[in-house]
Amino acid sequence: MEIGATKAVQDRLKTTKIEESKGASLVFCWDTHLTKIKGRNVLFIVNASNRYTIAMTDIEPRNWNYYAMYISRVIHGVMQEMGYSEEQIAQYFKMSGDMIVTKTHGKKSVGGINRMVTDAQYFDKKLEKDTKYQWELSEYLNRDICQPEGFDAYGYPSELFKLDMERLGIIPKRKPAKVIDFTRYIDTN
């Protein structure tokens, strides 16, 4: 798994040497960006394939020392919240490989982060105090229709994340919707 770090995150990590992306599948790449929203530091964790976004606040200094491990715990926790079983989460992390911090994963991915930051500025509720995972902000950001790097169609990031899990075989594919042929019911006289 690759954790892409923007310049703001690299500055916070106090790192000068960071690896280029190794070309892993985008579903296993998460780009991170640190910004101020409503006077609080917010860390955005955005999947490079489907633009699924996790918003975190009040990150403790010790978590910056173990950044990759912290991000993996956050992703694990959010996947649990989404209803994935421990076996499915373990399968995702096993398929993703070793965790490394890299540079971000391309212009489209960084553009998606910038869009999320802009959208977050318009979030009309206060950020929750005494909580790290900003659930309402994350839900708000994941309701933005987009066409991220890993897809050729538009959709909601939360739905696209599920599609990625189906593509990986982590969850079973959903049955296609039943299409009604209305021409049978139309009188053509």
Side-chain angles (χ1 to χ4, degrees):
M1 179 179 295
E2 293 183 1
I3 307 298
T6 61
K7 182 77 171 115
V9 172
Q10 291 176 33
D11 291 346
R12 181 62 181 87
L13 291 173
K14 298 179 178 89
T15 183
T16 55
K17 189 172 65 172
I18 195 161
E19 298 179 41
E20 291 286 332
S21 174
K22 303 256 192 271
S25 174
L26 289 178
V27 72
F28 302 120
C29 299
W30 294 79
D31 287 333
T32 57
H33 179 63
L34 183 65
T35 190
K36 276 215 183 287
I37 305 289
K38 300 186 189 267
R40 291 178 66 188
N41 285 331
V42 178
L43 178 70
F44 290 105
I45 306 166
V46 182
N47 188 280
S49 173
N50 50 54
R51 205 192 284 177
Y52 186 81
T53 303
I54 303 167
M56 302 294 292
T57 54
D58 304 330
I59 299 163
E60 298 168 15
R62 64 186 160 101
N63 288 331
W64 290 103
N65 295 335
Y66 303 99
Y67 188 65
M69 186 186 331
Y70 173 73
I71 298 298
S72 70
R73 284 197 332 254
V74 168
I75 294 168
H76 184 278
V78 169
M79 287 180 77
Q80 281 180 321
E81 290 276 326
M82 294 170 78
Y84 293 99
S85 68
E86 284 299 322
E87 295 81 30
Q88 292 169 325
I89 297 169
Q91 184 181 0
Y92 174 77
F93 278 96
K94 183 180 178 188
M95 292 171 78
S96 69
D98 293 334
M99 178 113 19
I100 58 169
V101 178
T102 66
K103 292 184 177 178
T104 55
H105 296 89
K107 290 179 181 179
K108 192 158 187 176
S109 180
V110 172
I113 292 173
N114 291 336
R115 173 62 189 251
M116 294 300 169
V117 170
T118 302
D119 287 352
Q121 300 293 341
Y122 295 103
F123 183 61
D124 59 350
K125 296 182 181 177
K126 288 189 174 191
L127 297 177
E128 298 174 48
K129 290 188 182 218
D130 303 323
T131 184
K132 295 186 185 327
Y133 174 51
Q134 295 294 328
W135 184 82
E136 283 187 327
L137 177 58
S138 296
E139 288 295 309
Y140 172 78
L141 295 172
N142 287 318
R143 279 187 252 140
D144 181 40
I145 293 178
C146 62
Q147 183 189 3
E149 187 81 24
F151 291 86
D152 58 356
Y154 287 86
Y156 295 109
S158 53
E159 284 295 315
L160 299 176
F161 187 83
K162 286 179 189 171
L163 287 174
D164 270 338
M165 295 302 110
E166 287 177 9
R167 283 196 265 186
L168 292 172
I170 291 175
I171 59 173
K173 293 187 188 276
R174 294 176 274 186
K175 294 179 181 173
K178 184 177 179 181
V179 178
I180 300 171
D181 181 16
F182 287 103
T183 57
R184 293 187 341 187
Y185 302 102
I186 298 174
D187 187 22
T188 56
N189 290 341

